[in-house]
Amino acid sequence: MRSVLTFLFRSLISLIIVGIIWPTAYFGFEQSFLNSSLLAILGGGLANFILKKRGQNKLLKENQLTKKEYQYIAQNVKEANQKIKRLNKVLLSIRSFRAAKLLGNLQRLVKQIYQIVKKEPKRFYQAERFFFYHLDSVVELSERYVFLSRQNIKDLEVRKSLSETEETLEKLVKSLNEDLLTVLSNDIETLNMELDVARQTHDLQNGFMEQTQNQNLIQEPPQSIKINFTDQARREKNKVPDERR
């Protein structure tokens, strides 16, 4: 979504520059229609190129990557996108509810990891096992599984092969979950640290409030004690006339 918005923003700026250069060159500098159009196109293209480079440099800085590293990651992400398209085609051919549920879980995890790395390329190195091993296994096994299941062959060996493939795909679901946790490991660690700080702050505040309340209780005697002192003083005052008698 972010890349689409960035592209639209660059295109809008380029069109605005084209709209400024063409009438300026044609009316202001009395250039021909062709020359004005060429200048406008060159100006818009140059603006688009500069904005694209600035965006790439900002992305590299945010992810702490070199240009070579980014190109390497971008190439692997592009290849992964092609594999995901193959997986999507496989899902359209499923007839079994069990297979649809199993492959649907795989697709969900695959897309989730892919989108995270696409948005933040620096996480690629935490997901290398996914890109180089698990994704290929998921796509190839899914294609073979769906192809065999559609043949309606009532053969013991085929059924055994399909059953073993389902078990392997279920193991891959667990592997993809582990890959996802690895990609999110830094976020989980940061969240745990923030929770610890929040708990410590909360405990300190509660301790301070309790200490303040205890100090207030010590400084002010209970109301019942005050009443007892007053009653005792009245009784002593009433005893004085009796003693004089």
Side-chain angles (χ1 to χ4, degrees):
M1 184 66 182
R2 181 180 177 182
S3 58
V4 174
L5 292 175
T6 303
F7 173 77
L8 292 175
F9 175 75
R10 291 203 315 266
S11 301
L12 178 61
I13 296 298
S14 300
L15 287 174
I16 292 173
I17 290 176
V18 168
I20 293 173
I21 292 177
W22 192 91
T24 302
Y26 187 77
F27 296 106
F29 294 93
E30 297 182 352
Q31 295 292 318
S32 64
F33 180 87
L34 180 61
N35 289 338
S36 299
S37 300
L38 288 174
L39 288 172
I41 293 171
L42 287 173
L46 182 62
N48 189 285
F49 177 78
I50 292 172
L51 290 172
K52 186 176 181 180
K53 282 295 180 181
R54 286 187 61 184
Q56 288 179 351
N57 291 335
K58 183 180 178 181
L59 184 64
L60 293 176
K61 187 176 180 180
E62 288 176 351
N63 289 273
Q64 299 177 350
L65 296 170
T66 63
K67 185 177 180 181
K68 188 175 181 180
E69 287 176 328
Y70 177 73
Q71 290 175 345
Y72 170 74
I73 293 170
Q75 180 62 32
N76 282 283
V77 170
K78 184 178 179 180
E79 292 175 1
N81 186 40
Q82 297 301 318
K83 295 172 185 176
I84 292 173
K85 288 180 179 179
R86 285 169 56 189
L87 183 60
N88 292 338
K89 289 181 181 179
V90 169
L91 287 170
L92 296 175
S93 305
I94 296 175
R95 296 179 180 178
S96 168
F97 175 76
R98 181 181 178 184
K101 183 178 179 181
L102 178 58
L103 295 181
N105 288 334
L106 286 168
Q107 185 198 42
R108 176 181 58 81
L109 290 167
V110 164
K111 284 188 174 182
Q112 197 169 356
I113 297 171
Y114 170 80
Q115 291 295 338
I116 290 172
V117 175
K118 184 180 179 182
K119 184 178 179 181
E120 298 183 52
K122 64 181 178 181
R123 296 178 187 262
F124 173 81
Y125 296 108
Q126 295 173 296
E128 285 183 310
R129 188 174 57 173
F130 164 77
F131 282 96
F132 296 135
Y133 300 105
H134 294 159
L135 181 58
D136 289 331
S137 298
V138 168
V139 175
E140 291 174 6
L141 285 175
S142 298
E143 288 177 339
R144 292 177 185 177
Y145 174 78
V146 172
F147 174 76
L148 284 176
S149 63
R150 292 184 63 190
Q151 303 309 312
N152 294 323
I153 301 175
K154 296 180 180 180
D155 181 76
L156 184 61
E157 289 297 324
V158 174
R159 290 183 179 180
K160 183 180 178 182
S161 179
L162 289 173
S163 179
E164 290 176 352
T165 305
E166 286 180 358
E167 292 177 1
T168 304
L169 289 172
E170 287 175 355
K171 291 178 181 178
L172 281 171
V173 171
K174 296 180 181 178
S175 298
L176 291 178
N177 272 309
E178 292 175 0
D179 291 341
L180 180 59
L181 288 175
T182 301
V183 172
L184 297 174
S185 58
N186 291 338
D187 299 88
I188 295 171
E189 185 178 353
T190 302
L191 178 61
N192 289 333
M193 290 176 61
E194 291 176 353
L195 285 173
D196 289 338
V197 172
R199 289 193 190 102
Q200 291 176 5
T201 304
H202 183 264
D203 292 341
L204 287 173
Q205 289 177 346
N206 286 342
F208 177 77
M209 292 296 294
E210 290 178 0
Q211 185 178 2
T212 304
Q213 290 175 358
N214 291 335
Q215 289 177 352
N216 292 336
L217 289 174
I218 293 172
Q219 291 175 359
E220 295 183 6
Q223 188 68 21
S224 59
I225 296 176
K226 293 180 179 180
I227 294 172
N228 290 337
F229 288 158
T230 304
D231 293 343
Q232 185 177 358
R234 288 177 179 176
R235 285 196 297 270
E236 290 178 354
K237 185 177 180 181
N238 293 331
K239 288 179 181 180
V240 172
D242 296 337
E243 291 176 356
R244 288 179 180 178
R245 292 173 185 176

